[in-house]
Amino acid sequence: MDSNPPLGRKVTVRDIAAGCGVSRATVSLVLRGSPLVNKDTRARVEEELRKQGYVYNRAAANLRRRTSSSIALVINELANPFFAEFAAGVDDVIGEAGMVTLLGSSSESPKREQAVLGSLIEHGPGGIILSPAEGSDASQVLAAVGARTPLLLFNRELTGEQPEYAHWDTLAMDNQQGAREATAHLIAQGHRRVAFFGGHRDSSSCRQRRAGYREAMQAADLPVAAHWEVECLPTRLEAAHCAQALFDVEPAPTAAVCYNDAVALGLMHGLLERGLAPGRDFALTGFDDIAEAALATPSLTTLAAAPRARGRQAAQMLLQRLREPDAETRRIVAPVQLVIRASSCPPTA
Amino acid sequence: MDSNPPLGRKVTVRDIAAGCGVSRATVSLVLRGSPLVNKDTRARVEEELRKQGYVYNRAAANLRRRTSSSIALVINELANPFFAEFAAGVDDVIGEAGMVTLLGSSSESPKREQAVLGSLIEHGPGGIILSPAEGSDASQVLAAVGARTPLLLFNRELTGEQPEYAHWDTLAMDNQQGAREATAHLIAQGHRRVAFFGGHRDSSSCRQRRAGYREAMQAADLPVAAHWEVECLPTRLEAAHCAQALFDVEPAPTAAVCYNDAVALGLMHGLLERGLAPGRDFALTGFDDIAEAALATPSLTTLAAAPRARGRQAAQMLLQRLREPDAETRRIVAPVQLVIRASSCPPTA
DNA sequence: AACTTGCTTTGGAACGATCCAAATCTAGCG
DNA sequence: CGCTAGATTTGGATCGTTCCAAAGCAAGTT
């Protein structure tokens, strides 16, 4: 009565069917919880599944059903805590939906991104979430993923025209609004000479943040001196080195809106080296609200982007797209929140 | 002469075969770069592949060949920068090997870990890398993954007996050696009353680090006072609160080996509140070498675990196991490196 | 007895690629 | 011209699951 237990082979529906004297089709129905099967039959089959230690082969099922149970997540830099949080948020929601996440990291290289997309697409993900590498090109991405698989772009824009027949959803952060609010906050504190510090000319996020800064200055009828817009690589060390540039020409600013938290923390360091106490002699704000921001001395006023929530949101948008492939393209710009801490002091009298 | 282009359907080997008048088998050979096919035929087929925009269906191939082209990575807390780096390292190597990473995060919940493992295993990964949630049980893990799929345990031990028939590889950090070196370093600086600060009794990593600490103290013939071993949750805030405990009873220590960097940074804060300058009036060391360690004031002497390198190593170990399924179980304990910075000052005269 | 109705169950044919043994096509040789 | 060796190609069968149309079954109706 005992069916021969499979030796090297995996247990399949066939083994289960043979084991309890029903057909493969019936076992399949049980597996999918169909209401068609008789209570007793179901119990017998389930017992057998347990006994033989059956594991479902989702790849085979997906092949037959022409469905997918995975999505691909391609991140420009996974080691960056911001994106790690984002990835965690994505995986939360994808997991809750009973799907799995195929991970890929491009290390900020468009070339590697191509390769990663090419490899992932062969596994037939239902959709793709892409946080592009810097300089990643729209037509190249399209060539890699094809027009068939829905794609959601996160955080950055692609260079080049976005091919019109590829309707890609977008989730971005409201960089402009954030920088505007930070600048307005410093102005409300009483500052009149406010700088914009750090970031790279080519990066779309930097352009947007700078635009928000200028907008707020203009709205308050304040001029922007040329040397108040300081460019530098978005690393702490670079920022510390460039601090000097703010004070090279008179009149020097009394506050700065920084490109991001790393830059702001670097600037703090640079100020200290010049004998200025950040948060007392000079006010500044960051962007991102990384874990360190709250713990720095002085604690850093910054814009919280809630990367985990963004990850969840991105995954939900993609799942929604899978449900309605033909719905209109969505472009969501998520607001960021100003978190006021000690670094954005009023100017010294 | 032009075969009808597939409309809603994906392009398959069948379409390519029909498109250039060869058999499916030949197309398959071309896809796998077999030397059997004629040069001209290969060229014709490749042209057709390009023209029709064919994408390989790896799931179908894996089904037939009974192979896998993925590995599963289950992380206890992906948002933690240490594990994010680790994941990035794993994905690097897996990607280089032409495979993809199935991602799962357990959020430190053994229950969720079970669910995630169960879901991932259905996708037939060739192997699994697991960084267990705290309290994750060996027999439960075995039940979820079965004895068929190779598993590599990273960083933590599982509770309960490890079932003998499941030969699982292990990659751990040498916590004991690390703590021993840190302690010896403080002793070499001239300290004689050294505390062990922070961490949780139940955690295996804390036990190991404490053992290393005691070993070094013993080797130097130094006594360990009971109140020098302070327990606290491994968070910055808790550590700051518990600082007091070090000074409740005379004689107070002049230095402390901390459970990890977060605790060390918290302790620094707690010392400042008591009017002690860390790195001058009191020496301390951390563990992990998180990004902040180098930038804190004073910069933190700590033990670097190189999470990205560990990720690469873990992936390589697993790939090796896939190559030789019957090789002997490996248990690697990776050394950690003492990075000496400003916080581990000599005692005040 | 013949027929309907509502449950259940079922054998084959897919899904897309690969394996395998056998077929086809050269070219060379006696 | 028949024969063999080597190079190349090929039609099923197959991986594990699901779909589908059809069949079996028990109970009730005319």
Side-chain angles (χ1 to χ4, degrees), chain B residues 12-13 24 28 32 54 56 64:
Chain B
T12 75
V13 279
R24 299 181 335 268
S28 176
R32 283 170 296 149
Y54 172 82
Y56 189 69
R64 180 60 177 97

Side-chain angles (χ1 to χ4, degrees), chain A residues 134-151:
Chain A
E134 199 149 347
S136 175
D137 186 76
S139 61
Q140 299 231 307
V141 170
L142 181 64
V145 308
R148 175 161 262 89
T149 310
L151 183 96

Side-chain angles (χ1 to χ4, degrees), chain A residues 122-135:
Chain A
E122 293 185 351
H123 289 83
I128 303 176
I129 294 176
L130 171 64
S131 173
E134 199 149 347

Side-chain angles (χ1 to χ4, degrees), chain A residues 230-307:
Chain A
V230 178
E231 218 181 282
C232 80
L233 287 181
T235 73
R236 211 178 295 229
L237 209 59
E238 280 300 310
H241 285 155
C242 296
Q244 181 59 40
L246 288 172
F247 305 99
D248 277 348
V249 187
E250 287 294 325
T254 64
V257 174
C258 296
Y259 169 65
N260 69 13
D261 287 351
V263 163
L265 293 170
L267 176 55
M268 281 190 186
H269 208 268
L271 291 170
L272 282 169
E273 282 178 348
R274 293 182 44 80
L276 290 171
R280 201 191 60 196
D281 308 327
F282 192 94
L284 42 73
T285 66
F287 213 114
D288 285 352
D289 196 24
I290 64 177
E292 256 179 287
L295 299 153
T297 357
S299 60
L300 183 63
T301 294
T302 188
L303 290 147

Side-chain angles (χ1 to χ4, degrees), chain B residues 117-172:
Chain B
L117 286 171
S119 163
L120 290 178
I121 203 79
E122 292 184 350
H123 288 83
I128 302 175
I129 295 177
L130 171 64
S131 173
E134 198 149 348
S136 175
D137 186 77
S139 62
Q140 299 231 306
V141 169
L142 181 64
V145 309
R148 177 160 260 89
T149 310
L151 183 96
L152 182 140
L153 286 168
F154 173 68
N155 191 47
R156 282 192 189 146
E157 287 164 16
L158 295 173
T159 65
E161 264 326 277
Q162 178 166 323
E164 64 201 49
Y165 47 97
H167 46 262
W168 291 335
D169 296 309
T170 316
L171 175 61

Side-chain angles (χ1 to χ4, degrees), chain A residues 114-241:
Chain A
Q114 280 294 107
V116 167
L117 286 172
S119 162
L120 290 178
I121 203 77
E122 293 185 351
H123 289 83
I128 303 176
I129 294 176
L130 171 64
S131 173
E134 199 149 347
S136 175
D137 186 76
S139 61
Q140 299 231 307
V141 170
L142 181 64
V145 308
R148 175 161 262 89
T149 310
L151 183 96
L152 181 139
L153 285 168
F154 173 68
N155 192 48
R156 282 191 190 150
E157 287 164 17
L158 295 172
T159 65
E161 266 323 278
Q162 179 166 322
E164 62 200 49
Y165 47 95
H167 46 262
W168 292 335
D169 296 308
T170 318
L171 175 61
M173 252 86 61
D174 199 339
N175 289 308
Q176 192 160 344
Q177 164 249 339
R180 194 170 55 226
E181 280 191 30
T183 312
H185 164 61
L186 289 172
I187 294 172
Q189 290 282 59
H191 294 276
R192 305 192 47 78
R193 301 196 302 279
V194 181
F196 184 90
F197 188 81
H200 202 278
R201 198 184 321 120
D202 299 343
S203 121
S204 64
S205 58
C206 183
R207 273 202 312 277
Q208 291 163 358
R209 289 174 195 181
R210 194 174 306 181
Y213 154 75
R214 286 186 183 158
E215 219 173 279
M217 291 296 274
Q218 197 151 29
D221 271 329
L222 295 175
V224 174
H227 73 285
W228 294 353
E229 295 190 342
V230 178
E231 218 181 282
C232 80
L233 287 181
T235 73
R236 211 178 295 229
L237 209 59
E238 280 300 310
H241 285 155

Side-chain angles (χ1 to χ4, degrees), chain B residues 197 239-248 274:
Chain B
F197 187 81
H241 285 154
C242 294
Q244 181 59 41
L246 288 172
F247 307 98
D248 277 348
R274 293 183 46 81

